[in-house]
Amino acid sequence: MFLPSHDEIKRAIVDGDVDKARSLANSLIEQGGDLLAAIEHGFSAGIRKVGDLWEEGEYFLPELVQGAEAMKAAMEILQPALATQQGAQEPKGRVVIGTVEGDLHDIGKSLVGTLLAANGFEVHDLGSNVPVATYIEKAREVDADIVAASALLTTTMSVQKSLAEAVVAAGLARGPRVLIGGAPTTEAWATEIGATHAENAMRAVGKAERMVRSHD
Amino acid sequence: MSGLAERLVDGPCVLLDGGMGSMLLARGLAPGDAPERMNLRQPEVVTEVHVEYVEAGSDAVQTNTFGANPIRLAHFDLAERCEEINRRATDLARQARPRFVIGDIGPTGEYLPPVGTGDVVRWDEGFEMQGRALIEAGVDALHIETMSDLREAEVALRAVRRSSTEIPVMVSLTFDRKKRGFFTIMGDPLVESLTRLVSDGATVVGANCSIASPDLRDLAAEAQSGVPGRLVFQPNAGSPETTAGGIRYSQAPEEFAADLAPVAAAGAAAIGGCCGTDPRFIAALRRRMDGDQG
């Protein structure tokens, strides 16, 4: 058997082929491949390509989600092996994510969660219609770096503000930052409520990375 | 018969209403609560909003039932009251004395795999229940709207058609503008998707939400030249902006009406507004439509 090439790995992610991504991850481990290089030039390159195709309007939500699922499946296999190879890996950060109370829109939020997990964050997804108190409770329990909240309705955006206030008021250990998104949300709104805004799921990853870096 | 069917098929453009959720929020709906609960708890407020649209010139008002399918209502512990809510909402719309009442049907909020875990059999049952309740309550037509997945729109259309093959059914999808044209977030292309809904038995097809009226003019031109049937459009009032006073949309009523009136004049079956529109937008459209015709 040959060691999978970075191009082959990338193609599995771009095609959203979960089974293929899993088997490539397994054969990398079995054959002692360079996991970090495969993640950087194969898997991550693939998910970046998926994001580009989406921004270009060539891919739509199903392809984007399928690509992220393939990435996640591979990372679930690779992360424990990496930890053995290189000693325990700390996640990039801990994220508590959900769609605010009264809002049932799930996809954008779930996609952000999947992409964050695929990019090395520890993600705790609370689902949709999440009360402010539930976010705070979970953030305290997992010692979160980021509390991420989606709102897709102009009628539920105001809950993001209540959440941002509650996060400050709760005085949590790591003083988590608040990341918001959703169709009606804007940079100006985020600034007004003291949060960071992500205009789409792909950008949320970069924003989250900057948020945890500025945190240390 | 109310005459709406004939009007939609070959009569003058029907002026619909505008946004409902933001109007209810301004009148006491708690952020995060189901707007449909207002039909039970504060019915007079719902009627008041309908009256404002009728006074602004709407030919037809749409029932406050966007989220009144049992799947969505279940999130608010209201699933068991689905039929009651749809019935009450129809009565409340009727009390405003519009020429026509249209039963509004929004999406379940769920998505099919791999995006979500939605199940078409449950969707079908839910839409059938809501559609039948609205039809039995006496709506003049149904409007299945804000659908971002052609498959969900088709499930809803087939489900309501089981209760009546006669009632006019409008179906609107939500499109985004991409480099290659207009698509739903699921990748359903504009002309092909609307054409398919026509062959599935929709009386009128079209687009609502997301797209603001300047983009909508392009979308409408494309649809009008490619889709074999009459069309309905309900765009947003530009894009949302946050201000000290809360959320507002970027377009003024006159601007919105200036973009949309030519779409009506070009033969649309029905037009109205979606997010960010209120009775001022409908009044502005009414003035232009009457001007165009007279």
Side-chain angles (χ1 to χ4, degrees):
Chain A
M1 245 172 90
F2 294 101
L3 203 57
S5 74
H6 292 163
D7 277 350
E8 190 181 5
I9 293 170
K10 182 176 164 185
R11 200 163 52 243
I13 303 299
V14 173
D15 292 345
D17 190 336
V18 174
D19 292 339
K20 178 92 178 167
R22 261 196 209 113
S23 84
L24 291 171
N26 280 323
S27 63
L28 272 169
I29 292 166
E30 282 158 20
Q31 299 177 59
D34 181 342
L35 301 188
L36 276 181
I39 289 171
E40 174 58 25
H41 303 295
F43 295 103
S44 296
I47 199 72
R48 280 195 299 271
K49 178 72 182 172
V50 169
D52 290 346
L53 288 168
W54 182 58
E55 296 227 1
E56 288 290 309
E58 293 296 325
Y59 268 16
F60 293 94
L61 203 52
E63 294 85 7
L64 183 58
V65 170
Q66 196 64 44
E69 289 294 332
M71 177 79 182
K72 196 167 79 173
M75 292 307 287
E76 276 163 10
I77 293 167
L78 293 171
Q79 263 153 355
L82 260 184
T84 321
Q85 252 186 25
Q86 318 221 325
Q89 297 263 312
E90 269 295 298
K92 278 187 192 160
R94 294 187 179 84
V95 183
V96 168
I97 191 168
T99 304
V100 298
E101 186 160 27
D103 200 321
L104 307 174
H105 293 86
D106 212 34
I107 40 173
K109 178 272 305 164
S110 299
L111 186 60
V112 171
T114 306
L115 288 172
L116 287 172
N119 281 279
F121 285 86
E122 180 183 307
V123 176
H124 302 269
D125 190 338
L126 301 173
S128 62
N129 197 16
V130 180
V132 167
T134 309
Y135 283 98
I136 302 294
E137 208 174 291
K138 193 72 184 175
R140 178 172 287 128
E141 179 195 322
V142 304
D143 203 14
D145 299 283
I146 294 173
V147 176
S150 172
L152 267 290
L153 301 169
T154 49
T155 53
T156 54
M157 265 172 73
S158 61
V159 186
Q160 290 177 327
K161 184 170 190 232
S162 318
L163 176 64
E165 288 164 357
V167 167
V168 173
L172 300 170
R174 293 186 65 79
R177 307 279 173 83
V178 177
L179 178 65
I180 62 159
T185 65
T186 60
E187 196 71 48
W189 170 242
T191 307
E192 188 186 322
I193 67 173
T196 300
H197 180 245
E199 49 275 61
N200 64 45
M202 292 306 293
R203 305 250 165 98
V205 176
K207 292 278 173 95
E209 284 171 345
R210 279 198 289 283
M211 286 164 83
V212 290
R213 271 204 301 275
S214 65
H215 215 244
D216 294 329
Chain B
M1 287 304 285
S2 67
L4 181 57
E6 296 73 18
R7 176 103 179 240
L8 288 173
V9 173
D10 58 9
C13 183
V14 174
L15 181 56
L16 305 171
D17 51 10
M20 171 61 81
S22 50
M23 299 281 288
L24 293 178
L25 270 183
R27 287 163 182 73
L29 170 66
D33 196 9
E36 294 73 24
R37 205 191 297 277
M38 298 282 270
N39 297 321
L40 305 173
R41 291 232 177 119
Q42 289 171 280
E44 67 292 346
V45 173
V46 177
T47 300
E48 189 184 306
V49 174
H50 290 313
V51 167
E52 284 198 34
Y53 278 118
V54 171
E55 285 172 352
S58 293
D59 298 312
V61 299
Q62 303 181 80
T63 54
N64 177 34
T65 53
F66 178 79
N69 66 69
I71 294 174
R72 216 172 164 110
L73 288 174
H75 293 274
F76 301 96
D77 293 324
L78 289 170
E80 269 109 68
R81 303 183 75 176
C82 169
E83 285 155 322
E84 180 191 359
I85 287 172
N86 283 286
R87 225 172 21 241
R88 291 286 294 274
T90 306
D91 292 343
L92 298 178
R94 191 65 74 192
Q95 281 168 24
R97 308 206 162 278
R99 193 169 307 167
F100 308 112
V101 171
I102 297 176
D104 190 48
I105 297 180
T108 58
E110 296 181 344
Y111 293 87
L112 295 177
V115 178
T117 55
D119 169 23
V120 291
V121 176
R122 283 182 57 239
W123 288 359
D124 179 78
E125 290 164 3
F127 286 128
E128 180 171 15
M129 180 188 280
Q130 184 183 6
R132 180 178 303 127
L134 289 166
I135 291 168
E136 286 176 2
V139 296
D140 301 302
L142 294 172
H143 190 185
I144 296 165
E145 52 132 333
T146 322
M147 291 286 171
S148 53
D149 187 338
L150 172 63
R151 294 169 296 181
E152 185 175 7
E154 289 190 286
V155 169
L157 177 57
R158 279 196 288 268
V160 303
R161 275 280 173 243
R162 283 202 293 277
S163 299
S164 167
T165 51
E166 309 285 297
I167 194 160
V169 181
M170 306 198 288
V171 185
S172 296
L173 303 179
T174 294
F175 295 96
D176 288 328
R177 182 170 219 153
K178 297 283 185 181
K179 279 187 189 157
R180 290 189 291 126
F182 293 98
F183 294 87
T184 68
I185 54 170
M186 295 297 171
D188 307 308
L190 174 69
V191 170
E192 291 86 334
S193 304
L194 297 186
T195 301
R196 178 134 156 205
L197 289 164
V198 172
S199 59
D200 287 341
T203 316
V204 170
V205 294
N208 79 300
C209 205
S210 266
I211 292 277
S213 58
D215 273 336
L216 188 101
R217 289 186 66 165
D218 296 340
L219 182 151
E222 212 177 291
Q224 276 161 343
S225 68
V227 178
R230 284 190 90 194
L231 301 162
V232 54
F233 301 105
Q234 287 193 279
N236 291 349
S239 33
E241 291 169 351
T242 43
T243 64
I247 298 147
R248 60 180 289 275
Y249 277 71
S250 59
Q251 269 191 329
E254 283 305 327
E255 211 181 320
F256 175 85
D259 281 334
L260 207 49
V263 173
I271 58 167
C274 198
C275 304
T277 63
D278 59 34
R280 296 170 306 143
F281 290 74
I282 298 306
L285 257 179
R286 177 85 276 166
R287 283 193 296 276
R288 282 191 184 257
M289 286 167 72
D290 290 349
D292 286 346
Q293 282 159 18

